[in-house]
């Protein structure tokens, strides 16, 4: 998996990450003001800032829990929306599968075949 967006929104220490051309960028999310409009616009701004090309070779990874029910559902819905609109690959992972939000740990997670 070359380029990807990873969304980890469980209600605590929420982050999004973007791997592009062997560079990894992380954006911390403000958990107290989460709603679907804020998450969508934050992801769009993040992707546009780094000039990511979202196509069929791109992947989205999303944390599916455990965590805040509404926050998880919003994150999963956003990931599915990207999947449907851009025809990207979509993968899910559990909170316990990723001990720290680092590129090294995310690549280990990917090698374990999500």
């Amino acid at each position: 998996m070359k380029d990807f967006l990873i969304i980890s929104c469980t209600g605590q220490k929420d982050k999004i990450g973007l791997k592009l051309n062997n560079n990894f960028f992380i954006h911390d999310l403000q958990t107290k003001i989460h709603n679907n409009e804020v998450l969508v616009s934050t992801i769009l701004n993040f992707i546009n800032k780094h000039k990511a090309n979202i196509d069929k070779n791109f992947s989205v990874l999303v944390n599916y829990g455990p965590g805040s029910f509404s926050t998880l559902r919003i994150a999963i819905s956003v990931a599915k929306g990207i999947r449907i609109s851009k025809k990207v690959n979509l993968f899910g992972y559990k909170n316990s599968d990723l001990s720290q939000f680092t590129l090294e740990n995310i690549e280990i997670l990917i090698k374990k075949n999500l």
Side-chain angles (χ1 to χ4, degrees):
M1 186 179 311
K2 183 182 172 196
D3 295 335
F4 62 82
L5 170 71
I6 182 166
I7 305 169
S8 180
C9 293
T10 61
Q12 294 181 349
K13 298 180 184 177
D14 296 345
K15 299 175 186 274
I16 54 176
L18 184 63
K19 182 181 177 216
L20 292 173
N21 304 319
N22 296 320
N23 295 312
F24 188 60
F25 309 98
I26 296 175
H27 180 77
D28 293 321
L29 301 170
Q30 296 178 356
T31 56
K32 296 189 187 243
I33 58 168
H34 259 310
N35 65 39
N36 57 345
E37 292 174 18
V38 172
L39 183 60
V40 170
S41 64
T42 301
I43 289 173
L44 286 174
N45 290 338
F46 190 58
I47 288 171
N48 290 335
K49 176 182 175 183
H50 297 291
K51 298 177 180 146
N53 183 24
I54 311 299
D55 60 16
K56 66 179 182 166
N57 297 319
F58 194 83
S59 298
V60 175
L61 294 79
V62 65
N63 187 334
Y64 61 81
S68 166
F69 180 79
S70 57
T71 305
L72 287 167
R73 296 300 159 243
I74 291 168
I76 291 168
S77 297
V78 169
K80 284 185 176 182
I82 296 169
R83 159 91 173 103
I84 291 168
S85 65
K86 296 293 187 174
K87 310 279 191 270
V88 300
N89 300 308
L90 177 61
F91 302 96
Y93 69 94
K94 294 185 288 189
N95 205 26
S96 60
D97 292 338
L98 188 61
S99 59
Q100 290 184 336
F101 199 88
T102 63
L103 180 57
E104 181 180 353
N105 286 340
I106 294 166
E107 288 179 335
I108 290 169
L109 175 68
I110 292 167
K111 287 177 185 174
K112 290 182 179 178
N113 294 323
L114 295 174

